[in-house]
Amino acid sequence: WTRLKHARRKVALFDGTLSSYELPPILQRISNTLVSIGAFPSTNPPNHVLVNEYQPGEGIMPHTDGPAYESCTATISLGGSDVIFKLRPRQHFTAHEHCDQARNVQQKLDLILHGNGSLIVFRDDAYLEHTHEISEGVFEETTESGTCGNDLSGGTIVKRGYRISLTFRCKKVTKSTKVMEVI
């Protein structure tokens, strides 16, 4: 485990793109299953797994996974704690726009992830044109605006506890990746 400097959570990284390293058997089996259920294409199976440990109330700030990966991410939540996962449109600017004039791509979406084994897969537009986050806080409530895909009426209070997430991605292998491995 490594404790991140910019966040309180601990992470463990398993990078199967390195020729001297393979994913541990259990993570490889899950990767194979994600391909067999259609979450990932067989041409770009998961080869990179990030394991995050979250203490009660910890979240993760809005972010994208970036261009180092193919445009698909699958996250499995474990540990018995529910969270509200948020997808928000990325802000796009032209040379003539200011921050307050940004155009958004699509509406926001929230989902309750149940910590006892839920799976969320997002790809393509959801991956490329949206950020994803989990807010800080021990309690959070879904809104009545219908933005929560699995709680349209809203008003559900989610109490956050201990949670582990397994995030599967397909890291792009480039010449620079191979050079970094040699160094």
Side-chain angles (χ1 to χ4, degrees), residues 12-16 23-24 27-28 30-31 34 46-52 69 74 165-171:
L13 171 65
F14 300 92
D15 188 347
L23 292 178
L27 296 179
Q28 187 60 58
I30 296 170
S31 294
L34 290 169
N47 58 12
H48 188 271
V49 182
L50 190 63
V51 180
N52 288 287
Y69 306 96
S165 70
L166 307 173
T167 299
F168 292 80
R169 299 179 286 208
C170 179
K171 185 177 178 183

Side-chain angles (χ1 to χ4, degrees), residues 12-183:
L13 171 65
F14 300 92
D15 188 347
T17 64
L18 304 175
S19 61
S20 60
Y21 184 82
E22 294 180 6
L23 292 178
I26 185 66
L27 296 179
Q28 187 60 58
R29 281 197 350 223
I30 296 170
S31 294
N32 295 343
T33 300
L34 290 169
V35 170
S36 71
I37 66 170
F40 283 85
S42 59
T43 54
N44 292 316
N47 58 12
H48 188 271
V49 182
L50 190 63
V51 180
N52 288 287
E53 178 190 54
Y54 296 92
Q55 296 300 324
E58 286 182 331
I60 186 165
M61 63 186 206
H63 68 284
T64 64
D65 290 347
Y69 306 96
E70 298 294 338
S71 62
C72 183
T73 295
T75 300
I76 299 171
S77 293
L78 305 171
S81 176
D82 296 348
V83 296
I84 299 177
F85 179 86
K86 300 175 180 181
L87 282 173
R88 299 292 183 260
R90 292 177 68 179
Q91 301 290 312
H92 294 276
F93 306 98
T94 67
H96 304 293
E97 289 180 315
H98 298 288
C99 290
D100 59 345
Q101 299 172 321
R103 67 171 176 82
N104 287 328
V105 177
Q106 293 200 6
Q107 69 180 19
K108 61 184 182 176
L109 175 68
D110 297 344
L111 291 170
I112 299 173
L113 301 183
H114 300 286
N116 55 358
S118 66
L119 166 67
I120 183 167
V121 178
F122 56 101
R123 69 174 124 234
D124 303 326
D125 179 69
Y127 181 93
L128 298 168
E129 300 296 339
H130 292 76
T131 62
H132 53 280
E133 68 179 285
I134 295 173
S135 300
E136 298 273 331
V138 176
F139 291 97
E140 193 169 10
E141 185 174 355
T142 60
T143 64
E144 296 180 14
S145 64
T147 59
C148 187
N150 54 352
D151 182 28
L152 295 178
S153 61
T156 299
I157 297 173
V158 174
K159 182 179 181 197
R160 307 261 298 278
Y162 180 80
R163 174 177 166 262
I164 296 280
S165 70
L166 307 173
T167 299
F168 292 80
R169 299 179 286 208
C170 179
K171 185 177 178 183
K172 295 176 183 175
V173 179
T174 63
K175 289 181 182 179
S176 61
T177 306
K178 292 177 182 176
V179 169
M180 291 295 290
E181 183 179 348
V182 172
I183 295 177

